[in-house]
Amino acid sequence: MDEKGVHDVERDASIWLARRNARRHRLLPIFVLGLLTFFALGTHVHLTQNSYGTVRIPVNASQIQARCENLKLKPGPPSTFSNRTSSDRFALGSKPTLIRNATIWTGRTNGLEIIEGDILLDTGIIKAVGTVEEALLQQLDHAVEIIDADGAWITPGIVDLHSHLGLLSAPKLNGASDGNSRKGIAQPWLRSLDALNTHDDSFRLTVAGGVTTALVLPGSANDIGGQAFAIKLRDTAEHSPSSMLLEPPFTLNSSDAIDWSLPPRWRQMKHACGENPRRVYGNSRMDNLWTFREVYDKARQIKEKQDAYCAKALNNERAELGAFPEELQWEALIDVLRGRVKVQVHCYEAVDLDDIVRLTNEFKFPIATFHHAHETYLVPDLLKKAYGNTPAAAIFATNARYKREAYRGSEFAPKILAQNGIQVVMKSDHPVLNSRYLLYEAQQAHYYGLPENVALASVTTTPAQAMGMDHRIGFIKEGFDADLVIWDSHPLALGATPKQVFIDGVVQLASPFTVEKPESIQKAPKTPDFDDEAADAVKYDGLPPLAPEKSIAGTVVFLNVKSITIRASQDNGLVHAFEAQGSELGLLAVERGKVTCMGNQSTCASFLEALDAQVVDLKGGTISPGLISFGSPLGLEEIHGEVSTRDGSVYDPLEKTIPSVIGGEGTLIRAADGLQFATRNALLAYRSGVTVGVTAPTHDGFFGGLSTAFGLGAAHKLESDALVQEVAAVHVAIGHSGSSASVSTQIAALRRLLLEPAPGDVGMWFKSGESTLVVEAQSMDVISTILLLKKEVELETGVPVRLTIAGAAEAHLIAKQLADANVGVVVSPSRPFPATWESRRILPGPPLTRDSAISLLLAHNVTVGIGIEESWSARNTRFDAAWAALESFGSITKTQALELVSSNLETLLGLNVDPELTDLVATETGDIFDFEGKVVGIISPRKGAVNLF
C-alpha cells in the first residue's frame, strides 16, 4: 500500500470513529430512558435470536417455571420433615423432660395402641416413646426434668377443629368481638389471624382442659367467612398472634420469598350454609347457593388463565407471556379449586348438605369437614358423594334443638356416623361450648355408643387429620410435636382433668392442683347399650318417640339394687337408705307409685309373688331421688331460635309501660301460664333422671315474674303430675344482661318493691317474708349491694327476706358474707366461664385452683344448688353434680352432690314438696352419676305409677 493509501485509510478510520462516538452519545439518553421505562413497567424480558426473529423472554423465567411447577405439588410438609431433630416452634431455654411409668394412648393403630412406658421430650418434639435408651439421655445437652407419671394416662394434646378463641373473646366486650364481617356474604380474602386477640381469658382456661391446638375459624354469618388458622395455645416470648401459628401458609404476607421447590402448606377456609347467612343477609337458600356458584365461577376463570399461562411457560412458549395472572382477593379461593385448602363447612341439615356436595362436584374441589352437621347421621351416603374425598363430621355430643336446623340432632349421631364409615370429630365451637371441656364431648359420645378408640381419636388424631396436621400433632410418636396431656383418670371417665399439659415440650401448668381419683375411673367406662335408641333415631328421621314406653300403676319390683337414696322425712335433705353388703344386692317394691318395701331381697321377697308384679332387674344399679333443673327456659320453648315455639319475653317496667289491660305496674307474669309439656328437651331430661323443672318467665331485663315447678314426664297440664307447684318464687335480674337501665337504677327499683306497698301481685309477692326472692346476679359488687339491701329491708320491716342469688359467678369472693346473711346461691353454669365482665372473676377449680366455687361456698355453709343456662343441657344435670363432687378433693359426698340438684334447689327456689311425693329414679347397671348407668325408670308418687323406658 502506498503512502497516500495509508493516509486515506487513517482518515477514513478517524471519520468512522468520530461518527461512531457521535452515535453513541446520541443513543445513550435513549438507552437510559428505555431502561428506566423497562423497570418502571416491571417488564422483565430479554431478547434472543432464532430463525423466526426476536422473542421477548421474562428475565425471571426460572421463577415463573418454578411457580408453575409448584402448582402440581400436593400440600403438606417437605419430604425431609420426618427427619427433623427439633421443632420450628422450639422455645429456647426449655429443658428436656423424661416422663416415666406412663400409660400411653398413642393414637396409632387406629387408636388401639396403648403402651406402658416412658416418653422423652426435647427441642419441642417427642424423642422416644416406650423405652428410652440411656445412651439417648446421655446425648442431651441439658439436665433432664423427670416426671413420674405413676401409671397415669397420657394422650396427645387435645385438638379443637372448631374454635373462635381470640375472635369472640372472654370476657365479651364490644372492643374485642371480631368473629364476623358483615361487609359481604362471600369474602375469602378475610383472615381470622388479623383479629386474633391474645388477651382472651379463655386461652389459659382452655389449656387447663388439655387443649393444645385449635383451628380458629371466622364466624358463620357469611357463605364464605374467610381463612382460618391453626394455632398452638401456649404463650410465646413474642406474645403475638403470628407467633402462635402452626405451619402458616407460605403466602401469609408475601409471595416474594417463597421457595417454590417446596410443597405448599395446607390452608384453611370457613364456609357456611343454612340459617345463619340466610338470616344475616335476608336471603333465601337459593340466593346463598347462587353466591357460592358466582364466586367459585370467578375463581375458576382466574385459575383457567393461570393454567393457560403455565402451560405456555412450561412448554417454552414465552412470546408475550407477561405477568402471572392473579388477583389478591381471589387467590385463596383459587387455591381451594387446586385442592390446597382444607375447607371447613358450617352446615346442618340434608338440604344444605346436598347443596354443598353438588357444589363440590360442579367446581371440583374437596372439603375437609362438615361442622355442626346435625343431620349428617341421617344422610351418610350423601357425604360419600362429595368430590375427592368423604368429609368428616365435626359435631356436638348433646347440644341440639337451639334452632330449626339443629332440631333433629341426636346424641347417637357419633355412633351412627362411625358405623357408616364417616370420620367423627367432636368440637367446641368455643365460646358456644367452653373449649376447656372439649374432652367432655368425646366422653358423652362414648357414653352414647361411640367406640373408645374412635372417641379418643375424635379430639386428637381425627381433627389433626381434618386440618392436614397429622404429620406432627394428634399422635404420640417419635418426631411429632411434644404436645401431650397427663390425666388424673382415664380420659373418657367423667371429670378427667389434666395433671400436666405440654405444648412444644413446654410445661403449661405451673403449680397444678391434682385430685386423687378412685381406681374405678382409671379405666374406660363400660357404657350402656343404646343400640335400640340409635336405630330409632334413624328410623324416625331424627325424631324418635321419647315418652315412657310403659306406665304401670300396679306392683313393680326392682331387683339387684346396689344402693338406695331417698328424701328424709324430717328435714329437707336426703338419706342413704340402703347399701348392698358384699354380693347380696337389695330390692325395692312399689305399688301405685309409692315405695312399699326396700332392703335385702329376703326382707321384701313376698312382693315377688304378686301375680301382676312387673320385675325390673337393675343389675347392680341404684335408686336415687329425681333431679331438678333450673335456670333455662325449659318448658317455655321447643326451639329457642323459633319465636313461634316459645312463650316469649315478659314486659319490663324499666323499659316500657306495662299495659293496663294486664294490670299495669302491679302485674307479675306467671310462668305456669306459658308452659309447654312434652317438649323434646324436657323428655330427654326426664329420661336422664330429671323429673322436675323450675322455670321463671323469660325476661330480657330487670323484671322476671313468678316461676313454676312442673313435672317433665307429664303429657299435658291437666295430668296429676303436671304442676308440682304453680308458683315457686319471684324473680328479678340485676346487671347488664339485657336491661338498658343502670345497675343503680335496678337496685333502686328493687328497694322500692321491697319497702313500699305496691298494687296487685307485685305487692303481694314482694312482701317481705311471704315468698322467696330469686335475684339473678353475677358480679361480686352487685351481690354485695343486694346483701346490704337485704339488711336494710330487714332492719326497716323487722321481717327476714328469703333471698337466693342465681348465676352467682363471683359469689365465692364473698362466701362468708353470704353465709352470715343466710343467703343461698344457685351456681349456673356449674363449671364457670368468664363470659361477661360481670362474671370474669371466676374460681376455675382444678387444676388451676384447689377449690371450685361450689366446694368453697359449701365449705362456708352456704346452701348451694346447681343450675343450667340452656334447655338442651337439662339432660346433663346428673353429670354436672357428679363432676362437682369429683373435683372437690372429697369434700362433697355423693349424697351432698345429689342435694345440689334436688333438695337444695327446693329450698332455694321456694318449693314446698311433701317428701313422700318425691320422685325416685331407677338406674340400671351403674350409678346415676357415672357413665356406666342408664336410667330405666321413674317412680312417680304424684302420678301413682312407675314409668319405664
Side-chain angles (χ1 to χ4, degrees), residues 370-394:
F370 280 119
H371 291 246
H372 300 303
H374 280 61
E375 291 190 15
T376 50
Y377 76 100
L378 297 173
V379 290
D381 290 337
L382 171 61
L383 272 62
K384 297 173 185 179
K385 294 180 179 180
Y387 179 84
N389 58 261
T390 300

Side-chain angles (χ1 to χ4, degrees), residues 162 220 222-223 270-277 285 289 292 343-359 367 369-377 379 382-383 391-395 402-403 405-406 427:
H162 188 135
S220 53
N222 304 313
D223 276 7
K270 174 70 174 292
H271 287 12
C273 56
E275 291 187 30
N276 284 18
R285 281 179 164 82
L289 232 290
F292 273 122
V343 181
Q344 313 290 345
V345 186
H346 162 118
C347 207
Y348 282 78
E349 56 183 327
V351 59
D352 299 313
L353 296 166
D354 187 62
D355 286 345
I356 297 298
V357 167
R358 283 189 283 105
L359 185 75
I367 58 177
T369 316
F370 280 119
H371 291 246
H372 300 303
H374 280 61
E375 291 190 15
T376 50
Y377 76 100
V379 290
L382 171 61
L383 272 62
I395 56 182
Y402 46 87
K403 55 182 174 177
E405 61 188 5
K427 53 95 170 102

Side-chain angles (χ1 to χ4, degrees), residues 19 26 74 156 283 464 603 609 622-623 634 637 705 765 800 827 915 927:
R19 288 175 178 174
R26 289 197 303 269
K74 294 182 178 180
N283 290 342
T603 305
E609 301 171 3
T622 62
I623 303 286
L634 187 66
E637 63 178 19
W765 288 101
V827 177
D927 192 282

Side-chain angles (χ1 to χ4, degrees), residues 507-563:
V507 167
Q508 297 300 298
L509 304 176
S511 300
F513 294 88
T514 301
V515 179
E516 292 299 320
K517 299 286 181 68
E519 186 62 32
S520 60
I521 58 174
Q522 299 302 328
K523 58 183 182 300
K526 296 179 180 179
T527 56
D529 182 353
F530 287 106
D531 287 348
D532 290 343
E533 291 88 340
D536 280 350
V538 176
K539 176 182 177 181
Y540 291 97
D541 200 24
L543 300 175
L546 296 175
E549 295 174 5
K550 295 181 181 179
S551 186
I552 303 170
T555 302
V556 179
V557 179
F558 293 94
L559 287 178
N560 297 315
V561 182
K562 185 177 181 181
S563 69

Side-chain angles (χ1 to χ4, degrees), residues 6-18:
V6 172
H7 287 299
D8 287 342
V9 169
E10 290 176 348
R11 186 194 61 183
D12 291 340
S14 298
I15 294 170
W16 175 82
L17 184 61

Side-chain angles (χ1 to χ4, degrees), residues 659-690:
S660 59
V661 70
I662 61 172
E665 65 176 21
T667 299
L668 276 178
I669 303 300
R670 300 187 178 208
D673 294 337
L675 281 177
Q676 302 174 39
F677 286 84
T679 65
R680 298 193 73 78
N681 283 323
L683 289 174
L684 286 166
Y686 191 65
R687 283 175 165 261
S688 298
V690 183

